[in-house]
Amino acid sequence: MSGVVPTAPEQPTGEMENQTISPTAVSDVPPDYNSHFVPGPGGPAAPTPAGLPMGYNIPQHPGAIPLYHPTGGAHPIQYQPGKYPMTNQPAPVMWMPGPTPMPSCPPGLEYLAQLDNIHVLQHFEPLELITGFETNNRYDIKNNIDQMVYIVTEDTDDYTRNAYRNLRPFVLRVTDCLGREIMTMQRPFRCTCCCFCCSCARQELEVQCPPGVTIGFVAEHWNLCRATYSIQNQKKENVMRVRGPCATYGCGSDSVFEVNSLDGASNIGSIIRKWNGFLSTMGDADHFEIRFPLDLDVTMKAMIFGTCFLIDFMYFERTPTRRSSR
Protein backbone atom coordinates (compact mmCIF):
# COMPACT_ATOMS: atom_id res chain seq x y z
CA MET A 1 0.00 0.00 0.00
CA SER A 2 1.39 3.38 -0.99
CA GLY A 3 1.98 6.09 1.65
CA VAL A 4 2.70 3.64 4.44
CA VAL A 5 6.09 4.03 6.09
CA PRO A 6 7.55 0.71 7.14
CA THR A 7 8.31 0.48 10.82
CA ALA A 8 10.57 -1.79 12.80
CA PRO A 9 8.99 -5.03 13.83
CA GLU A 10 7.61 -4.99 17.35
CA GLN A 11 9.64 -6.90 19.90
CA PRO A 12 8.45 -8.47 23.11
CA THR A 13 8.78 -6.42 26.19
CA GLY A 14 11.16 -8.94 27.77
CA GLU A 15 13.62 -8.68 24.92
CA MET A 16 13.54 -4.88 25.09
CA GLU A 17 14.43 -5.02 28.78
CA ASN A 18 17.23 -7.44 28.08
CA GLN A 19 18.76 -5.00 25.64
CA THR A 20 18.71 -2.16 28.17
CA ILE A 21 22.25 -1.68 29.45
CA SER A 22 22.54 -0.86 33.12
CA PRO A 23 24.61 2.27 33.73
CA THR A 24 26.47 0.45 36.46
CA ALA A 25 27.50 -2.48 34.25
CA VAL A 26 31.22 -2.80 33.61
CA SER A 27 32.37 -4.33 30.32
CA ASP A 28 35.50 -6.37 29.95
CA VAL A 29 36.98 -3.93 27.40
CA PRO A 30 36.84 -0.17 28.03
CA PRO A 31 34.90 1.74 25.34
CA ASP A 32 36.78 3.75 22.75
CA TYR A 33 34.39 6.69 22.90
CA ASN A 34 33.45 9.35 25.40
CA SER A 35 30.50 8.38 27.50
CA HIS A 36 27.59 10.87 27.52
CA PHE A 37 25.84 9.15 30.40
CA VAL A 38 24.16 11.63 32.73
CA PRO A 39 23.36 10.31 36.24
CA GLY A 40 19.70 10.43 37.09
CA PRO A 41 18.08 11.33 40.40
CA GLY A 42 19.03 9.21 43.41
CA GLY A 43 16.83 6.38 44.47
CA PRO A 44 14.88 6.19 47.71
CA ALA A 45 16.97 6.25 50.89
CA ALA A 46 17.50 2.96 52.61
CA PRO A 47 15.74 2.59 55.96
CA THR A 48 17.97 2.93 58.98
CA PRO A 49 18.70 -0.44 60.59
CA ALA A 50 17.36 -0.95 64.05
CA GLY A 51 19.78 0.10 66.77
CA LEU A 52 21.93 2.26 64.46
CA PRO A 53 21.95 6.08 64.21
CA MET A 54 20.66 7.97 61.19
CA GLY A 55 22.91 8.53 58.21
CA TYR A 56 25.72 6.59 56.60
CA ASN A 57 28.51 7.74 58.95
CA ILE A 58 28.08 5.02 61.51
CA PRO A 59 30.71 5.10 64.26
CA GLN A 60 33.04 2.16 64.07
CA HIS A 61 35.57 0.82 66.55
CA PRO A 62 39.20 0.83 65.40
CA GLY A 63 39.84 -2.20 63.22
CA ALA A 64 36.14 -3.02 62.77
CA ILE A 65 34.74 -3.89 59.32
CA PRO A 66 32.47 -1.04 58.14
CA LEU A 67 28.89 -1.59 57.12
CA TYR A 68 27.84 -1.18 53.49
CA HIS A 69 24.47 0.36 52.62
CA PRO A 70 23.42 -0.12 48.97
CA THR A 71 21.55 2.69 47.27
CA GLY A 72 17.87 1.88 46.98
CA GLY A 73 18.24 -1.41 48.83
CA ALA A 74 15.84 -2.47 51.50
CA HIS A 75 18.33 -4.15 53.85
CA PRO A 76 21.94 -3.29 54.64
CA ILE A 77 24.63 -5.82 53.81
CA GLN A 78 26.62 -6.76 56.89
CA TYR A 79 29.45 -9.17 57.57
CA GLN A 80 28.44 -12.01 59.81
CA PRO A 81 30.21 -11.96 63.21
CA GLY A 82 32.99 -14.49 63.32
CA LYS A 83 33.03 -15.24 59.60
CA TYR A 84 35.76 -12.73 58.89
CA PRO A 85 38.12 -12.76 61.91
CA MET A 86 39.66 -9.54 63.14
CA THR A 87 43.36 -8.87 62.91
CA ASN A 88 45.44 -10.04 65.86
CA GLN A 89 45.42 -7.31 68.49
CA PRO A 90 46.97 -7.40 71.98
CA ALA A 91 44.60 -7.93 74.85
CA PRO A 92 43.61 -4.68 76.55
CA VAL A 93 45.60 -3.85 79.65
CA MET A 94 43.53 -3.01 82.73
CA TRP A 95 45.26 -0.23 84.64
CA MET A 96 44.63 0.77 88.20
CA PRO A 97 42.61 4.02 88.33
CA GLY A 98 44.87 7.02 88.70
CA PRO A 99 44.87 8.43 92.25
CA THR A 100 44.63 12.10 93.08
CA PRO A 101 47.89 13.95 93.82
CA MET A 102 48.93 13.88 97.45
CA PRO A 103 50.93 16.52 99.33
CA SER A 104 54.51 15.63 100.26
CA CYS A 105 54.33 12.53 98.02
CA PRO A 106 56.72 12.07 95.08
CA PRO A 107 54.74 12.13 91.81
CA GLY A 108 53.76 8.64 90.73
CA LEU A 109 53.96 7.06 94.18
CA GLU A 110 50.33 7.87 94.96
CA TYR A 111 49.51 4.37 93.73
CA LEU A 112 51.60 2.78 96.48
CA ALA A 113 49.87 4.91 99.10
CA GLN A 114 46.62 3.02 98.37
CA LEU A 115 48.12 -0.48 98.41
CA ASP A 116 49.40 -2.91 101.02
CA ASN A 117 50.25 -5.67 98.55
CA ILE A 118 51.75 -5.68 95.03
CA HIS A 119 52.90 -8.39 92.64
CA VAL A 120 56.06 -8.26 90.52
CA LEU A 121 55.73 -10.49 87.43
CA GLN A 122 58.76 -10.96 85.22
CA HIS A 123 58.26 -11.57 81.50
CA PHE A 124 59.30 -14.98 80.23
CA GLU A 125 61.68 -14.80 77.24
CA PRO A 126 61.75 -18.08 75.24
CA LEU A 127 64.49 -16.75 72.95
CA GLU A 128 66.73 -16.21 75.95
CA LEU A 129 66.19 -19.79 77.09
CA ILE A 130 66.86 -21.26 73.65
CA THR A 131 69.80 -19.19 72.47
CA GLY A 132 71.42 -18.24 75.79
CA PHE A 133 71.45 -14.56 74.79
CA GLU A 134 70.65 -12.41 77.82
CA THR A 135 67.97 -9.80 77.13
CA ASN A 136 66.73 -6.81 79.12
CA ASN A 137 64.43 -7.83 81.93
CA ARG A 138 60.83 -6.63 81.91
CA TYR A 139 58.33 -6.70 84.75
CA ASP A 140 54.62 -6.03 85.20
CA ILE A 141 53.59 -4.60 88.57
CA LYS A 142 50.01 -5.44 89.50
CA ASN A 143 47.69 -5.18 92.47
CA ASN A 144 45.60 -7.95 94.00
CA ILE A 145 42.80 -7.65 91.43
CA ASP A 146 45.20 -7.99 88.48
CA GLN A 147 45.22 -4.31 87.57
CA MET A 148 48.45 -2.89 86.19
CA VAL A 149 50.21 -0.40 88.48
CA TYR A 150 53.65 0.06 86.89
CA ILE A 151 55.86 -1.31 84.14
CA VAL A 152 59.55 -1.86 84.91
CA THR A 153 62.07 -2.10 82.05
CA GLU A 154 65.79 -2.73 82.25
CA ASP A 155 68.04 -0.37 80.28
CA THR A 156 71.40 -2.14 79.86
CA ASP A 157 73.52 -2.56 76.73
CA ASP A 158 73.97 -5.99 75.13
CA TYR A 159 77.65 -6.35 75.95
CA THR A 160 77.24 -5.59 79.66
CA ARG A 161 74.29 -7.97 80.00
CA ASN A 162 76.00 -10.91 78.36
CA ALA A 163 79.49 -10.29 79.77
CA TYR A 164 78.51 -9.91 83.44
CA ARG A 165 75.17 -11.77 83.49
CA ASN A 166 73.56 -11.59 86.95
CA LEU A 167 76.47 -9.50 88.30
CA ARG A 168 75.91 -6.76 85.75
CA PRO A 169 75.30 -3.14 86.65
CA PHE A 170 71.88 -2.08 85.49
CA VAL A 171 69.32 0.72 85.31
CA LEU A 172 65.65 -0.06 85.85
CA ARG A 173 63.05 2.45 84.70
CA VAL A 174 59.58 2.43 86.28
CA THR A 175 56.76 3.95 84.20
CA ASP A 176 53.09 4.51 84.94
CA CYS A 177 49.97 4.20 82.77
CA LEU A 178 50.82 7.43 80.92
CA GLY A 179 54.33 6.26 80.06
CA ARG A 180 55.96 8.70 82.47
CA GLU A 181 59.14 7.56 84.18
CA ILE A 182 58.34 8.02 87.83
CA MET A 183 61.19 6.03 89.38
CA THR A 184 64.73 4.93 88.48
CA MET A 185 66.78 2.20 90.16
CA GLN A 186 70.52 1.96 89.57
CA ARG A 187 72.94 -0.78 90.56
CA PRO A 188 76.65 0.06 90.22
CA PHE A 189 79.22 -2.57 89.38
CA ARG A 190 80.89 -4.26 92.34
CA CYS A 191 84.08 -6.28 91.94
CA THR A 192 83.30 -9.70 93.35
CA CYS A 193 86.88 -10.88 92.97
CA CYS A 194 87.69 -9.05 96.20
CA CYS A 195 87.18 -10.62 99.59
CA PHE A 196 83.44 -11.18 100.04
CA CYS A 197 83.56 -9.56 103.46
CA CYS A 198 85.06 -6.34 102.03
CA SER A 199 82.69 -3.40 101.71
CA CYS A 200 83.73 -2.71 98.10
CA ALA A 201 82.41 -6.14 97.07
CA ARG A 202 78.95 -5.69 98.59
CA GLN A 203 76.05 -4.98 96.30
CA GLU A 204 74.13 -1.71 96.44
CA LEU A 205 71.03 -0.24 94.80
CA GLU A 206 70.11 3.44 94.55
CA VAL A 207 66.45 4.42 94.24
CA GLN A 208 65.48 7.77 92.70
CA CYS A 209 61.97 9.19 92.68
CA PRO A 210 61.45 11.22 90.61
CA PRO A 211 64.46 10.32 88.42
CA GLY A 212 67.45 12.34 89.55
CA VAL A 213 66.24 12.73 93.16
CA THR A 214 67.62 10.05 95.48
CA ILE A 215 65.23 8.82 98.14
CA GLY A 216 67.30 5.95 99.53
CA PHE A 217 69.69 3.04 99.11
CA VAL A 218 69.61 -0.72 99.58
CA ALA A 219 72.94 -2.03 100.91
CA GLU A 220 74.04 -5.65 101.21
CA HIS A 221 75.62 -6.84 104.46
CA TRP A 222 77.97 -9.74 104.75
CA ASN A 223 76.46 -12.75 106.46
CA LEU A 224 77.73 -16.30 106.62
CA CYS A 225 74.48 -18.17 106.02
CA ARG A 226 71.71 -15.84 104.86
CA ALA A 227 71.00 -12.80 102.69
CA THR A 228 70.99 -9.59 104.72
CA TYR A 229 70.31 -6.03 103.58
CA SER A 230 69.83 -2.60 105.07
CA ILE A 231 67.28 -0.15 103.69
CA GLN A 232 68.70 3.35 104.04
CA ASN A 233 67.43 6.88 103.54
CA GLN A 234 68.99 9.46 101.22
CA LYS A 235 71.70 10.15 103.83
CA LYS A 236 72.61 6.45 103.94
CA GLU A 237 71.25 6.08 107.45
CA ASN A 238 69.84 2.63 108.21
CA VAL A 239 66.05 2.62 108.52
CA MET A 240 65.01 -1.03 108.11
CA ARG A 241 66.68 -4.35 107.54
CA VAL A 242 65.86 -7.33 105.34
CA ARG A 243 66.72 -10.93 106.21
CA GLY A 244 66.38 -13.78 103.76
CA PRO A 245 66.21 -17.54 104.30
CA CYS A 246 69.29 -19.66 104.75
CA ALA A 247 68.61 -21.32 101.39
CA THR A 248 67.43 -18.60 99.04
CA TYR A 249 66.61 -21.05 96.25
CA GLY A 250 63.96 -23.32 97.74
CA CYS A 251 62.89 -26.04 95.34
CA GLY A 252 59.12 -26.48 95.54
CA SER A 253 58.55 -23.75 98.13
CA ASP A 254 58.43 -19.97 98.39
CA SER A 255 61.46 -17.94 99.47
CA VAL A 256 60.54 -15.35 102.11
CA PHE A 257 62.63 -12.23 102.81
CA GLU A 258 61.37 -10.54 105.97
CA VAL A 259 61.46 -6.76 106.38
CA ASN A 260 61.98 -5.87 110.04
CA SER A 261 62.76 -2.87 112.17
CA LEU A 262 66.40 -2.18 113.00
CA ASP A 263 66.16 -3.86 116.40
CA GLY A 264 64.36 -6.84 114.88
CA ALA A 265 61.50 -6.56 117.36
CA SER A 266 58.72 -5.83 114.86
CA ASN A 267 57.95 -7.20 111.42
CA ILE A 268 57.15 -4.50 108.85
CA GLY A 269 56.59 -6.50 105.69
CA SER A 270 57.95 -9.21 103.44
CA ILE A 271 59.22 -9.93 99.94
CA ILE A 272 58.11 -13.40 98.84
CA ARG A 273 59.50 -15.09 95.79
CA LYS A 274 56.71 -17.40 94.61
CA TRP A 275 57.44 -20.90 93.41
CA ASN A 276 56.33 -21.14 89.76
CA GLY A 277 57.10 -24.79 89.12
CA PHE A 278 58.60 -25.43 85.69
CA LEU A 279 59.20 -21.75 84.94
CA SER A 280 61.07 -21.34 88.21
CA THR A 281 63.60 -24.00 87.23
CA MET A 282 63.96 -23.45 83.48
CA GLY A 283 63.81 -19.72 82.79
CA ASP A 284 63.57 -16.18 84.11
CA ALA A 285 59.89 -15.78 84.93
CA ASP A 286 59.99 -14.84 88.59
CA HIS A 287 56.91 -13.85 90.55
CA PHE A 288 57.36 -11.78 93.71
CA GLU A 289 54.73 -10.69 96.17
CA ILE A 290 55.54 -7.64 98.28
CA ARG A 291 53.62 -6.92 101.47
CA PHE A 292 53.78 -3.82 103.66
CA PRO A 293 51.42 -1.93 105.99
CA LEU A 294 48.87 0.29 104.29
CA ASP A 295 49.83 3.29 106.44
CA LEU A 296 53.60 2.87 105.93
CA ASP A 297 55.38 5.94 104.59
CA VAL A 298 55.15 5.84 100.78
CA THR A 299 58.89 6.44 100.44
CA MET A 300 59.63 3.34 102.52
CA LYS A 301 57.19 1.38 100.37
CA ALA A 302 59.19 2.44 97.33
CA MET A 303 62.41 1.32 99.03
CA ILE A 304 60.99 -2.13 99.81
CA PHE A 305 59.81 -2.26 96.21
CA GLY A 306 63.35 -1.50 95.01
CA THR A 307 64.86 -4.12 97.33
CA CYS A 308 62.87 -6.77 95.48
CA PHE A 309 64.80 -6.18 92.25
CA LEU A 310 68.24 -6.34 93.86
CA ILE A 311 67.22 -9.67 95.42
CA ASP A 312 65.98 -10.92 92.05
CA PHE A 313 69.23 -10.14 90.25
CA MET A 314 71.44 -11.53 93.00
CA TYR A 315 69.68 -14.84 93.71
CA PHE A 316 67.09 -15.63 91.04
CA GLU A 317 68.47 -14.30 87.76
CA ARG A 318 69.09 -17.51 85.85
CA THR A 319 72.15 -17.64 83.61
CA PRO A 320 71.18 -19.44 80.37
CA THR A 321 73.19 -22.59 79.75
CA ARG A 322 75.76 -22.17 77.02
CA ARG A 323 76.32 -25.11 74.70
CA SER A 324 79.98 -25.98 74.47
CA SER A 325 81.24 -26.62 70.96
CA ARG A 326 83.31 -29.76 70.47
Side-chain angles (χ1 to χ4, degrees):
M1 180 182 290
S2 61
V4 179
V5 179
T7 60
E10 296 182 0
Q11 297 181 359
T13 306
E15 296 181 5
M16 293 289 292
E17 293 177 353
N18 293 336
Q19 294 181 2
T20 302
I21 301 177
S22 174
T24 58
V26 180
S27 60
D28 296 335
V29 180
D32 54 357
Y33 58 90
N34 296 329
S35 175
H36 298 282
F37 171 74
V38 178
T48 304
L52 297 176
M54 296 293 294
Y56 291 100
N57 296 326
I58 300 176
Q60 298 289 336
H61 297 286
I65 301 176
L67 302 179
Y68 168 67
H69 295 272
T71 303
H75 301 285
I77 300 176
Q78 303 184 20
Y79 292 102
Q80 298 179 6
K83 187 175 182 180
Y84 299 91
M86 306 294 295
T87 57
N88 293 331
Q89 297 181 357
V93 178
M94 299 299 297
W95 284 87
M96 179 179 174
T100 57
M102 300 174 57
S104 66
C105 177
L109 294 188
E110 298 90 352
Y111 293 93
L112 295 181
Q114 304 181 23
L115 300 173
D116 61 355
N117 185 291
I118 57 176
H119 295 264
V120 179
L121 305 172
Q122 183 179 2
H123 288 210
F124 175 65
E125 302 291 348
L127 183 63
E128 182 177 309
L129 181 63
I130 296 173
T131 63
F133 183 83
E134 188 75 24
T135 60
N136 278 322
N137 287 0
R138 296 179 298 164
Y139 305 85
D140 291 340
I141 314 303
K142 297 185 177 183
N143 57 17
N144 273 338
I145 57 176
D146 206 35
Q147 290 178 334
M148 192 81 74
V149 182
Y150 299 122
I151 293 178
V152 180
T153 307
E154 181 185 359
D155 186 5
T156 310
D157 61 272
D158 294 340
Y159 173 79
T160 302
R161 286 196 315 270
N162 290 274
Y164 297 98
R165 299 289 172 165
N166 61 333
L167 296 176
R168 64 185 182 265
F170 60 76
V171 175
L172 297 178
R173 305 188 186 279
V174 184
T175 56
D176 61 3
C177 62
L178 300 178
R180 301 175 302 179
E181 184 177 348
I182 57 99
M183 185 188 305
T184 303
M185 293 173 280
Q186 299 182 4
R187 175 198 187 185
F189 177 73
R190 298 298 189 194
C191 182
T192 56
C193 62
C194 302
C195 178
F196 54 83
C197 61
C198 181
S199 59
C200 64
R202 299 173 190 170
Q203 300 298 317
E204 184 181 78
L205 180 75
E206 179 183 358
V207 180
Q208 300 176 357
C209 185
V213 180
T214 302
I215 62 174
F217 298 85
V218 181
E220 180 191 18
H221 289 275
W222 180 80
N223 191 286
L224 186 60
C225 63
R226 66 176 67 234
T228 306
Y229 301 90
S230 288
I231 296 179
Q232 305 170 340
N233 57 19
Q234 65 273 21
K235 299 179 181 180
K236 289 197 171 184
E237 298 172 345
N238 294 338
V239 179
M240 296 178 289
R241 72 175 186 177
V242 180
R243 296 188 63 193
C246 292
T248 55
Y249 184 72
C251 183
S253 61
D254 299 341
S255 299
V256 181
F257 296 77
E258 298 180 352
V259 182
N260 301 319
S261 58
L262 290 179
D263 57 5
S266 59
N267 178 266
I268 299 176
S270 59
I271 301 172
I272 305 173
R273 192 259 188 173
K274 295 290 186 178
W275 172 254
N276 278 343
F278 174 78
L279 292 180
S280 296
T281 58
M282 297 300 296
D284 292 337
D286 294 322
H287 175 194
F288 289 88
E289 182 181 1
I290 304 176
R291 302 174 183 175
F292 35 61
L294 183 63
D295 57 351
L296 183 65
D297 181 74
V298 68
T299 303
M300 292 297 101
K301 289 183 179 182
M303 293 305 305
I304 298 175
F305 174 62
T307 306
C308 173
F309 294 96
L310 183 58
I311 292 174
D312 180 36
F313 273 86
M314 289 187 61
Y315 299 104
F316 304 107
E317 180 70 11
R318 293 286 164 268
T319 301
T321 304
R322 296 182 178 179
R323 297 179 180 178
S324 58
S325 59
R326 295 182 181 179

